[in-house]
Amino acid sequence: MSENIFKQRALFINLSTKEIKVIEVPKDTVVKYIGGRGVNAYFLWKLVNNRIHPLSEDNVLIFGTGPFTGTFIPTAGQLTVTSKSPLTQRYFKCNAGGHWAIELRFAGYEYVIIKGKADRPVYIYIEDKNVEIKDASHLWGKDVRETNKIIKEELGDNEIQVACIGPAGENIVKFASIMVSVYHVAARGGLGAVMGSKKLKAIAVKGSERDVEVAHPELLKKLVHEVISNLPNNVKGKVYYLYGTSGSVAPVNKLYAFPSYNFKKPYFEKAEELDGVTLVERGYIKGRAGCTACPFHCHKFYKVEKGKYACYCGGPEYETLGALGAGCGIGNPEAVLKMHEICNIYGLDGLSAGAVIQWTMECIERGVLTKEDIDGLDLIWGNADAAIELLMKIIYREGFGNILAEGLKYAAEKVGKESWKWAIQARGLEQSRVDTRSAKAYALAFAVNPRGPDHLHAQPIAEFGAWPESRRLIKELLGDEKYANPYIIDKKPELVRWHEDIFAVTEALGLCSFSTTTTYILKPQNLAEMFYALTNVKISPEELLLVGRRIVTLERCYNVREGLRRKDDTLPWRLMHEPVPEGPPKGLRNSPEELDKMLDRYYELHGWDKRTGIPLKSTLIMLGMSDVANELKKLKILPLE
Amino acid sequence: MLVCSFKHEGKFNFTYSRVRILSDEINNVHIPLVCEHCGEHPCLDACPVEALYLDNKLGIVKVDRDKCIGCGNCVKACPYNGIFIDKNGKAVKCDLCDGDPECVKVCIFPQAMKYVDITYENLISKHESMISKIKLLKGVRYE
């Protein structure tokens, strides 16, 4: 029973040649990047260079688990999906819950790498050593629920886990998602479109071959029990358990950080209607559809029993309620839940979908687009029925939906007339639902996020100081609780960098970011101890955070190779130039000067060149990434020191 | 499932678990399958080699894995789907962790499981939960 962490296996499948092989991941790669998001990123760095188009057969789609996957360490059920995004043309990782990752690990693999393009629709079935590429022509066009049902029926096993795309992915909608375990989702960046471009409908997996072994069972048991015995006292954890992320809607709205009407306002007058507490009280939330090994089960299951919005689905989440609801001015919870269901079962990222719809609404309001331009839809603020119709047009690329299906950046370029000013996107990705004008750590985190302006690279929620756990963290990290203030920029680069490091290593280990950030139940010390108990490999908390840093730096280098520079580390135009119009944060904005100040310090902390934003050679050497440095040097983009 | 496998085998694999979950993910129905420690114990009667025996300490049926031949008769006999064959071909079933069940300890927030004394009220509520489980099982099975 020894250092089994170093025996990681990747299943490599080329859909063009039908080649299937198993690759042992080199020990050196595991030492540096540990697993999950880290090793995924390294595979992408090696396999997909800057000349490869995201929708070409040379792009790869990587599904990765971590060394904690398969154990009962809280939240150890996460899957990281990595690819080059057709929406941003750059590095992209998505993290999804559910029960798929654990089955893959039990089947004997840490990773699945998909390359090539099938000539007709296929799905992959993995059952331990048996791996098959199967015909999926009968599944093409089917929604996510039907796909799951048919696959489980034809394989005759209810316990099979499925990751699949819906019609949106098949139609290469640039923000199509991959749906995991029916209602869990690797949502953003259009990784579903990558899967669709490969004509890959689904990957079904079931495993029992591999036992996940533990070096020091008694120690691991003790460590896990210590952590979970403290859970009932965790404020945010309890909110997740009771209401999920939708429990944040009303509180964030009270802070005037809940954008509505396409970020024109920081406050939504009907936010209470969409809040988790309301959804539970009115009986829409029927239960929980959580992930493997998670004590919180933040992902809910809802049902609207009757009426024209009758529906049922997993969720909803804060982000989708914000994007499909408040952002579009829709305050009827039943309508928003229906839109959320449509996004999920047709495999569409609800956040981006909401963003393009509300941008269209503002175009109509401003007269930049007319009713005729958008196929006669009466798309005024709050008209849910028109929004639902437009959603379907996006999924099937009909009429104006065909333009929106290319993403917000493209649509604004196409429509022109300064409509980019209210296109709330940066680097091609639609921003998630935080008004960064009144949350400065979020602003920095969004500006430097390799995906684009969203919350899943670093989640510096501690800056609000809303819970005892976050205030404690601020004091520990920054020396004083006074920095728990979202309106100030002092020490925010430090806060963001810490969150980046921990977020990256959390996802490399196979955990959910809600364990180490937001609830802050697992500290770097806990991770290091559990890592030792599991693998017999001693690692300090600082070294673990450094693994996170290495991953973040590699992701940066990937994007640098794609052409990203400091000038791209920005936020949507509206947030940088239009001040918050009302409420306590009135007058605040993410001015270029303010962002520059934070960026300077941030690059300094990272050891990146301040002028270009490119990691310095000395930094790469310090992190043990000389191979990456050599590649950048060869391409003549490494800055002089 | 995970802690059960870990407690009994010191490692993780669903097939070692003495509790399974039958799921209809689409409709979000999840049914725990575990030995109900019923009074009739048809599993014991079905065993051809006397690998199952009644343990007097807790009054429950246990498996003698040396004797078990993995025929699966007990699995077929159990109306609650509460006994399984693991990947080594031996029967596994809940032994209540000898009176200190690990699964109860990790069910922190929902506290869906409780380990309680035998009282009249507890027996009634257990009986009710067994009946509702049988109903649910009929709704979910793909067979």
Side-chain angles (χ1 to χ4, degrees):
Chain A
M1 205 92 69
S2 67
E3 293 148 5
N4 49 21
I5 177 189
F6 299 117
K7 295 192 193 88
Q8 297 193 3
R9 287 147 49 93
L11 185 62
F12 183 91
I13 300 171
N14 188 329
L15 292 174
S16 299
T17 61
K18 311 270 183 275
E19 178 196 19
I20 300 171
K21 62 180 177 188
V22 178
I23 303 168
E24 306 277 335
V25 181
K27 185 175 170 180
D28 176 58
T29 307
V30 179
V31 170
K32 281 185 192 160
Y33 299 103
I34 285 190
R37 173 171 156 190
V39 174
N40 275 16
Y42 191 70
F43 279 139
L44 194 74
W45 166 261
K46 296 295 274 183
L47 295 171
V48 182
N49 65 29
N50 53 332
R51 292 180 299 280
I52 292 173
H53 189 274
L55 296 175
S56 75
E57 58 182 311
D58 289 333
N59 192 13
V60 299
L61 190 63
I62 308 160
F63 295 76
T65 71
F68 283 10
T69 310
T71 72
F72 75 141
I73 294 171
T75 77
Q78 297 299 106
L79 166 73
T80 301
V81 190
T82 307
S83 189
K84 192 180 202 175
S85 158
L87 188 63
T88 67
Q89 313 286 330
R90 295 194 178 110
Y91 167 87
F92 218 96
K93 65 92 196 168
C94 281
N95 201 261
H99 310 281
W100 196 93
I102 193 166
E103 290 291 341
L104 183 70
R105 191 126 200 264
F106 286 155
Y109 313 99
E110 270 75 20
Y111 312 93
V112 179
I113 306 173
I114 313 284
K115 195 181 168 167
K117 202 176 263 197
D119 45 17
R120 59 197 169 87
V122 294
Y123 77 95
I124 294 168
Y125 178 46
I126 303 167
E127 189 188 9
D128 301 329
K129 286 196 184 84
N130 171 33
V131 181
E132 289 172 66
I133 302 173
K134 295 170 87 82
D135 176 52
S137 36
H138 59 304
L139 297 170
W140 211 247
K142 295 277 189 286
D143 73 30
V144 170
R145 285 202 280 253
E146 289 166 342
T147 304
N148 269 271
K149 194 162 181 281
I150 295 170
I151 289 179
K152 287 178 188 181
E153 272 173 359
E154 74 184 25
L155 296 174
D157 192 337
N158 195 23
E159 289 171 10
I160 287 169
Q161 288 296 319
V162 176
C164 70
I165 54 169
E170 296 170 12
N171 298 331
I172 327 269
V173 174
K174 296 282 170 65
F175 43 90
S177 60
I178 300 171
M179 300 300 297
V180 180
S181 301
V182 191
Y183 298 124
H184 297 264
V185 54
R188 308 220 69 197
L191 300 194
V194 174
M195 202 155 151
S197 77
K198 299 190 176 307
K199 290 243 179 322
L200 177 61
K201 179 69 178 175
I203 306 177
V205 54
K206 177 154 186 235
S208 60
E209 173 110 354
R210 155 106 60 90
D211 298 343
V212 174
E213 299 193 339
V214 183
H216 306 287
E218 282 307 310
L219 179 61
L220 184 68
K221 193 174 141 192
K222 184 175 144 273
L223 294 169
V224 170
H225 277 284
E226 268 169 23
V227 169
I228 58 177
S229 63
N230 277 325
L231 282 183
N233 306 321
N234 188 287
V235 180
K236 186 67 176 167
K238 200 145 200 180
V239 173
Y240 281 152
Y241 173 69
L242 292 172
Y243 310 112
T245 57
S246 55
S248 306
V249 168
V252 176
N253 195 48
K254 281 198 191 92
L255 295 170
Y256 283 72
F258 188 57
S260 62
Y261 302 95
N262 196 31
F263 284 75
K264 281 204 293 183
K265 293 178 168 195
Y267 181 88
F268 187 48
E269 65 283 359
K270 295 177 196 146
E272 296 283 345
E273 291 284 297
L274 301 178
D275 186 58
V277 179
T278 312
L279 299 179
V280 170
E281 277 172 1
R282 296 213 189 140
Y284 297 126
I285 303 286
K286 299 289 184 196
R288 298 178 178 81
C291 312
T292 313
C294 179
F296 305 125
H297 274 38
C298 70
H299 197 60
K300 305 295 181 239
F301 181 80
Y302 66 84
K303 201 166 202 171
V304 177
E305 302 278 0
K306 50 184 189 291
K308 68 173 170 175
Y309 299 126
C311 62
Y312 64 102
C313 190
E317 303 297 337
Y318 166 88
E319 295 289 343
T320 38
L321 291 165
L324 299 164
C328 300
I330 301 170
N332 174 356
E334 297 193 357
V336 180
L337 293 177
K338 179 72 190 175
M339 291 166 78
H340 182 271
E341 183 205 43
I342 290 172
C343 287
N344 272 0
I345 68 171
Y346 292 94
L348 198 64
D349 171 17
L351 241 171
S352 291
V356 296
I357 292 172
Q358 58 199 260
W359 169 82
T360 313
M361 285 173 164
E362 191 163 347
C363 287
I364 293 286
E365 184 190 49
R366 287 169 177 264
V368 166
L369 285 172
T370 64
K371 210 170 156 180
E372 289 65 48
D373 292 330
I374 57 166
D375 315 315
L377 290 178
D378 186 24
L379 205 66
I380 51 166
W381 297 114
N383 187 345
D385 295 335
I388 288 174
E389 256 188 83
L390 188 53
L391 260 184
M392 296 310 291
K393 282 176 180 293
I394 294 169
I395 291 161
Y396 288 100
R397 282 185 169 273
E398 290 161 3
F400 192 67
N402 193 30
I403 292 172
L404 295 182
E406 291 294 309
L408 189 47
K409 187 177 177 208
Y410 173 88
E413 280 163 13
K414 184 91 180 163
V415 168
K417 298 177 188 165
E418 301 213 314
S419 63
W420 54 271
K421 285 192 174 175
W422 60 90
I424 313 300
Q425 62 83 23
R427 304 188 290 292
L429 189 76
E430 296 77 11
Q431 172 147 334
S432 49
R433 313 308 297 182
V434 182
D435 196 324
T436 47
R437 290 173 294 193
S438 54
K440 304 299 184 186
Y442 270 91
L444 175 62
F446 282 25
V448 297
N449 183 339
R451 299 166 24 129
D454 90 343
H455 57 296
L456 295 171
H457 176 61
Q459 177 100 301
I461 207 164
E463 74 166 330
F464 290 104
W467 311 289
E469 294 84 11
S470 39
R471 287 192 293 274
R472 211 174 302 139
L473 178 84
I474 294 275
K475 190 160 175 18
E476 265 173 44
L477 281 182
L478 309 176
D480 198 319
E481 276 190 23
K482 72 178 182 193
Y483 296 114
N485 177 350
Y487 295 172
I488 61 170
I489 64 168
D490 308 292
K491 301 269 184 199
K492 291 300 162 67
E494 283 84 349
L495 188 65
V496 168
R497 201 193 61 170
W498 184 85
H499 277 85
E500 282 182 345
D501 291 352
I502 190 81
F503 205 111
V505 76
T506 301
E507 292 187 336
L509 290 166
L511 300 178
C512 172
S513 62
F514 284 177
S515 66
T516 51
T517 65
T518 73
T519 65
Y520 302 105
I521 56 159
L522 290 179
K523 300 181 177 57
Q525 180 71 32
N526 299 115
L527 298 182
E529 286 167 358
M530 287 174 179
F531 193 83
Y532 169 72
L534 188 63
T535 65
N536 199 31
V537 176
K538 283 212 163 101
I539 188 165
S540 69
E542 293 74 27
E543 283 172 301
L544 267 182
L545 286 171
L546 213 57
V547 171
R549 181 94 44 86
R550 194 175 290 127
I551 296 166
V552 170
T553 308
L554 179 67
E555 293 167 339
R556 180 75 180 185
C557 289
Y558 188 93
N559 282 347
V560 161
R561 190 171 68 178
E562 298 289 327
L564 179 128
R565 296 293 180 271
R566 176 175 177 145
K567 63 175 170 39
D568 300 302
D569 289 343
T570 56
L571 291 164
W573 188 89
R574 168 165 281 167
L575 306 176
M576 295 185 73
H577 296 92
E578 290 178 12
V580 180
E582 57 179 317
K586 188 177 173 182
L588 293 180
R589 65 185 173 111
N590 298 127
S591 71
E593 301 75 35
E594 181 189 275
L595 195 58
D596 270 339
K597 260 189 222 162
M598 287 198 286
L599 283 175
D600 276 343
R601 177 71 183 137
Y602 171 85
Y603 296 140
E604 197 175 284
L605 287 169
H606 261 295
W608 297 355
D609 179 39
K610 275 195 203 172
R611 196 174 57 82
T612 58
I614 300 173
L616 295 168
K617 189 180 172 192
S618 52
T619 305
L620 295 174
I621 301 291
M622 184 275 286
L623 290 169
M625 300 166 69
S626 50
D627 57 331
V628 177
N630 287 341
E631 165 96 7
L632 292 182
K633 195 177 165 200
K634 214 168 68 193
L635 296 166
K636 299 191 171 59
I637 41 184
L638 210 55
L640 293 169
E641 285 179 58
Chain B
M1 281 166 83
L2 289 167
V3 75
C4 185
S5 159
F6 189 44
K7 158 84 186 182
H8 291 94
E9 311 290 337
K11 52 193 176 184
F12 296 95
N13 193 311
F14 284 154
T15 79
Y16 298 133
S17 177
R18 279 74 170 150
V19 52
R20 307 285 169 94
I21 297 166
L22 182 67
S23 289
D24 169 0
E25 289 178 308
I26 292 170
N27 295 297
N28 201 45
V29 180
H30 307 282
I31 309 162
L33 305 178
V34 63
C35 175
E36 295 287 345
H37 304 292
C38 66
E40 295 82 7
H41 36 70
C43 53
L44 191 143
D45 301 336
C47 181
V49 293
E50 295 181 351
L52 296 176
Y53 62 97
L54 204 56
D55 177 67
N56 288 328
K57 186 181 156 208
L58 294 165
I60 59 173
V61 174
K62 284 190 165 183
V63 185
D64 182 336
R65 289 177 63 174
D66 291 336
K67 284 189 188 166
C68 178
I69 54 170
C71 68
N73 280 1
C74 52
V75 176
K76 290 192 201 91
C78 177
Y80 304 104
N81 300 84
I83 186 163
F84 317 93
I85 304 292
D86 73 5
K87 68 189 238 188
N88 300 323
K90 302 278 180 181
V92 287
K93 72 176 285 299
C94 173
D95 61 0
L96 293 174
C97 297
D98 283 327
D100 186 23
E102 285 292 321
C103 52
V104 176
K105 291 188 223 164
V106 295
C107 192
I108 293 288
F109 276 120
Q111 301 194 345
M113 288 176 283
K114 287 196 183 86
Y115 190 59
V116 294
D117 289 334
I118 299 176
T119 62
Y120 180 70
E121 288 77 21
N122 285 340
L123 281 173
I124 295 287
S125 80
K126 178 168 168 57
H127 184 68
E128 282 165 0
S129 84
M130 281 157 74
I131 290 172
S132 67
K133 184 161 153 182
I134 292 280
K135 267 189 206 157
L136 275 173
L137 277 173
K138 283 184 181 153
V140 168
R141 288 258 126 157
Y142 275 129
E143 292 151 7

